[in-house]
Amino acid sequence: MPDEMTSKERFINALELKEVDRVPLGYLWFGAGNAVLDRMNTSMEDVYYSAKGIARAQILAREMYHHDNVMSPWGCLLVEVEAFGAKINIKKDAYPSIASFPLKSAKEYENIDPVAIERSERVKTIEGSIALLKEQLGDEVFISYATLTPFMLASQLMDGSRMFMEMMKDPDNFHALLDVLTDSCITFADMMLDAGADGAFIENGGSTSDLFSLEMAKEFGFDYSKKLYSHIQDSGGYVISHNCANHAFHELELAFEPDALNFFFGNVEALGEKYGIDCLKIHNHKHIGCRERYCFRDLKDFIDQGICLMGNINPYTFGSGRFDNIAAEVKNCMDAAPDKGFILSTGCEIPLNTPQEEMEILWESMRSCFK
C-alpha cells in the first residue's frame, strides 16, 4: 500500500483510533543506535551532550529504519536526575549511568528545587534538540520527548533499597518528595512541549507487582502520575505510557487514560496458566512473545476505552542473527493487533549494537503484511 499520510498524520491517527493508510512504525529512544553513530563517524560520548548531534542522529535513524516518530532524550533517562545533582558516569559507546545518588533520605526533599530543571544545561540540550527536530522536520514526523513518572524519578534520586525503606518508614516525607518531583516533571513537560514536542513517552515500568503491591502502587504512584499525564494532555500533547514490566499493573495504566500504552510481551508462564497452553514449548526461548499474542486480548479494554496499543515485538529477538525470528515477531503482532488504534513497535528499546540488516528485516516484514 502506498503511503498517503505524513508520518505525523499516521501516528496521530493511530493514537486517536482513526483510519490510517498503514500501521505506523514506532521508534523507542535510540534503538540500534550504534549503526547510526558509525554512519555519522562519531560516538555516543560525543553526541550525547550535543543538541545538534541528538537531532542529527534521530533524523538519520529515521532515514535508515523508516519509523514514523523521533525521540529525545535517549534510553538512559537521566536528564532530570542529572539536573538535580546526580553524578553521572559518561561512557564512550554506551548510555551513561548514575555514579552517585543526590539524596540519602526522603526528608531531604527540600533540597530538590523544581527550578533546577529550567537552569540545567543538560535539560537545555534536550530542549534544543527538540527545537531542532521541529525546525528540520516540521509537521512531517511525530516528535516525542522521553521522561519519567514522578515515582520512577524518585527511584533515581536514592538507592533502591533505601527508597523502599523510606516509603515504609517515612511515607509523609516520601509523599512530599513526590509532590516536588511532580512539579518538576510538569516543568520539564512544559519546556519540551513549548520547544516543539508533540507528546511525551513516559517510563512507568516501576508500576509492577515485581516490586510491590497494588495498594502501594496506588498510594505512591497513581495520583502523581495521573496529574502529570493530565497536564500534558491538557496542554495539547499526547501521552504514551511505557510499561514493559512482566507483571505490570495494567488496571492502573488504564486508569491513567494515556493516549497509548507501549507494552512488552507479558510473562509467558502466566499466559500459559491463564489460557491453558504451554507457552514455553511454542517459543524459541522463555522470553519470546506469545505467537497467538494473548496479551492483545488482555488489553482489549484499552481499545474499548479509546487508548491505542503500541507494541509488542520482543526486543531480545534482535542481535541474535535470526532474521526468521524477527519476521515472525512482526507477523504475529500484526496478525493479532486491533484494526484501529495500533502502532507497531518493540516492547522496549532495541539493543544499541543491533545491525542495520536486522532493522531492515523489521521494515520489510512489516511492509509484507500490507501486500
Side-chain angles (χ1 to χ4, degrees):
M1 177 185 294
D3 292 352
E4 299 173 356
M5 295 179 169
T6 65
S7 285
K8 181 174 178 178
E9 289 171 340
R10 183 178 302 118
F11 207 91
I12 288 178
N13 272 26
L15 290 174
E16 296 182 353
L17 275 66
K18 296 178 180 178
E19 295 285 348
V20 293
D21 56 347
R22 65 164 174 81
V23 172
L25 179 59
Y27 187 63
L28 309 191
W29 291 303
F30 197 35
N34 285 352
V36 179
L37 295 172
D38 287 345
R39 182 79 66 86
M40 294 170 61
N41 194 29
T42 189
S43 68
M44 177 70 77
E45 182 181 32
D46 292 335
V47 173
Y48 195 82
Y49 285 106
S50 165
K52 290 182 179 179
I54 292 172
R56 182 184 171 205
Q58 282 288 315
I59 292 172
L60 180 57
R62 179 172 179 267
E63 293 174 0
M64 293 170 64
Y65 304 146
H66 314 287
H67 41 271
D68 291 295
N69 67 304
V70 290
M71 183 180 292
S72 179
W74 294 339
C76 75
L77 288 171
L78 300 182
V79 175
E80 298 98 311
V81 74
E82 187 172 353
F84 293 137
K87 302 300 181 183
I88 306 297
N89 285 322
I90 304 300
K91 303 176 183 180
K92 182 177 180 62
D93 296 313
Y95 291 126
S97 60
I98 297 176
S100 64
F101 298 100
L103 302 184
K104 295 180 180 178
S105 68
K107 64 184 178 183
E108 295 179 353
Y109 73 89
E110 293 180 345
N111 296 338
I112 300 298
D113 183 0
V115 178
I117 293 290
E118 299 177 24
R119 298 171 179 163
S120 165
E121 288 302 315
R122 175 64 175 145
V123 172
K124 291 177 182 177
T125 296
I126 302 306
E127 181 184 32
S129 72
I130 295 289
L132 285 170
L133 287 168
K134 183 65 175 178
E135 176 185 325
Q136 296 178 44
L137 297 175
D139 289 326
E140 174 67 25
V141 182
F142 186 90
I143 301 171
S144 53
Y145 82 95
T147 188
L148 303 159
T149 60
F151 176 81
M152 290 297 292
L153 180 52
S155 72
Q156 294 183 340
L157 289 168
M158 65 184 79
D159 178 80
S161 58
R162 166 55 58 184
M163 182 186 74
F164 284 110
M165 289 180 62
E166 294 294 299
M167 291 167 66
M168 293 183 288
K169 293 185 175 182
D170 193 5
D172 289 344
N173 276 322
F174 197 83
H175 279 294
L177 172 63
L178 290 171
D179 278 328
V180 172
L181 295 181
T182 302
D183 290 340
S184 302
C185 290
I186 287 174
T187 297
F188 187 55
D190 289 341
M191 292 177 68
M192 298 304 111
L193 294 173
D194 287 345
D198 298 301
F201 186 85
I202 304 180
E203 167 62 61
N204 190 35
S207 182
T208 170
S209 61
D210 297 311
L211 295 179
F212 41 51
S213 68
L214 178 60
E215 290 70 24
M216 290 184 71
K218 290 179 179 177
E219 179 181 354
F220 295 105
F222 184 80
D223 288 343
Y224 306 101
S225 295
K226 179 64 174 176
K227 183 177 180 180
L228 173 62
Y229 285 31
S230 296
H231 177 85
I232 294 169
Q233 291 168 328
D234 291 344
S235 300
Y238 293 88
V239 171
I240 301 170
S241 189
H242 170 74
N243 191 335
C244 63
N246 278 356
H247 301 94
F249 291 126
H250 285 137
E251 58 269 57
L252 295 186
E253 295 289 348
L254 184 66
F256 287 142
E257 299 181 288
D259 296 287
L261 171 68
N262 177 232
F263 66 104
F264 212 165
F265 46 78
N267 181 281
V268 293
E269 292 181 351
L271 287 169
E273 292 175 3
K274 183 168 183 177
Y275 294 105
I277 59 173
D278 190 348
C279 285
L280 297 182
K281 287 185 178 180
I282 63 174
H283 304 313
N284 295 310
H285 55 88
K286 67 179 181 178
H287 289 307
I288 201 165
C290 187
R291 182 175 65 199
E292 285 79 6
R293 282 310 198 273
Y294 289 101
C295 43
F296 280 96
R297 301 184 192 181
D298 281 355
L299 298 175
K300 184 177 181 297
D301 288 345
F302 283 78
I303 293 294
D304 291 343
Q305 192 167 306
I307 297 171
C308 175
L309 293 179
M310 182 175 176
N312 69 329
I313 299 169
N314 179 7
Y316 296 139
T317 307
F318 294 87
S320 66
R322 291 291 304 273
F323 291 175
D324 55 337
N325 283 352
I326 297 171
E329 279 288 291
V330 172
K331 184 177 186 304
N332 294 339
C333 285
M334 294 288 285
D335 287 348
D339 294 332
K340 294 181 181 180
F342 175 64
I343 298 170
L344 181 70
S345 77
T346 47
C348 198
E349 185 176 45
I350 295 171
L352 275 173
N353 61 355
T354 297
Q356 184 177 350
E357 293 79 8
E358 294 190 6
M359 298 297 286
E360 287 295 334
I361 293 297
L362 188 163
W363 171 242
E364 293 301 329
S365 299
M366 178 182 176
R367 292 181 66 192
S368 70
C369 294
F370 303 135
K371 296 177 181 178

